[in-house]
Amino acid sequence: MRATPPVEVFKSAIAGLGLRATQPIKKGTRIMRMSGTRASDARVEALLNARKLRRDNPLQVGPSTYIILDTVPVAANHSCTPNAAIVRTNTLVALKSIKKGDEITFDYSLVVGRENEGWYMRCRCGADSCRTKIGAWTTIPKARLAEYKRARALPDFVLAEL
């Protein structure tokens, strides 16, 4: 039996819905698995073209491989200074200690591969170091990318692309 993730969906000040910690979460703790349905890039494109999927839903987990996220994980918002990251394939872990009630965020750019370098969306995270635009991992400033690498906060497919 799997433990219930220590999160709840709530109305976020960043954008729409968000994930909030329901208890304190220590740095390095596995928060949840970003669950959903695996899909190829062709399937994702078909759903996007039919307007049955938003561009910010599919989580890239490999070259041409995505997860169309379930209701809870899709609520996670982006931040240019996140408190969590996607590691391995689809595991959300705490980058720092998170207090009960804090919004849990990750850097969307870290789950956008080279094949999607033309994709971008406007950032509304409000962080002092906000990049204003979210794109592929290749758009992250080199110093910030190095910090993510040192923190082991990169998904496997991005590590392979580095």
Side-chain angles (χ1 to χ4, degrees):
M1 185 164 81
R2 290 191 176 153
T4 302
V7 300
E8 64 184 357
V9 176
F10 78 111
K11 176 84 173 110
S12 170
I14 296 174
L17 299 176
L19 289 183
R20 174 170 52 203
T22 57
Q23 64 191 44
I25 303 169
K26 291 180 182 177
K27 178 182 178 177
T29 300
R30 177 188 179 271
I31 299 169
M32 65 185 292
R33 185 168 95 18
M34 302 295 276
S35 60
T37 306
R38 282 198 177 256
S40 66
D41 58 350
R43 175 75 177 134
V44 166
E45 277 302 315
L47 290 170
L48 290 168
N49 291 336
R51 298 179 187 243
K52 293 183 178 182
L53 186 64
R54 290 179 12 182
R55 282 247 175 237
D56 61 347
N57 179 329
L59 177 75
Q60 189 169 1
V61 295
S64 304
T65 307
Y66 300 82
I67 295 175
I68 299 170
L69 295 170
D70 291 334
T71 306
V72 173
V74 79
N77 279 316
H78 163 85
S79 177
C80 294
T81 56
N83 55 13
I86 305 290
V87 298
R88 291 181 286 289
T89 302
N90 60 332
T91 302
L92 185 67
V93 299
L95 288 176
K96 52 187 157 189
S97 292
I98 301 170
K99 296 176 188 165
K100 179 180 179 179
D102 283 354
E103 182 162 4
I104 298 169
T105 59
F106 71 96
D107 190 334
Y108 284 5
S109 292
L110 290 176
V111 292
V112 180
R114 286 186 186 274
E115 69 189 57
N116 292 304
E117 283 184 310
W119 174 87
Y120 73 91
M121 65 185 283
R122 186 180 341 166
C123 182
R124 297 183 240 161
C125 77
D128 289 342
S129 60
C130 180
R131 298 188 305 266
T132 70
K133 195 173 181 183
I134 303 163
W137 69 263
T138 56
T139 65
I140 298 171
K142 288 183 191 231
R144 184 69 174 138
L145 191 60
E147 289 174 25
Y148 286 137
K149 192 172 182 181
R150 279 192 301 276
R152 295 188 173 129
L154 300 171
D156 291 345
F157 86 94
V158 171
L159 286 169
E161 289 184 356
L162 282 173

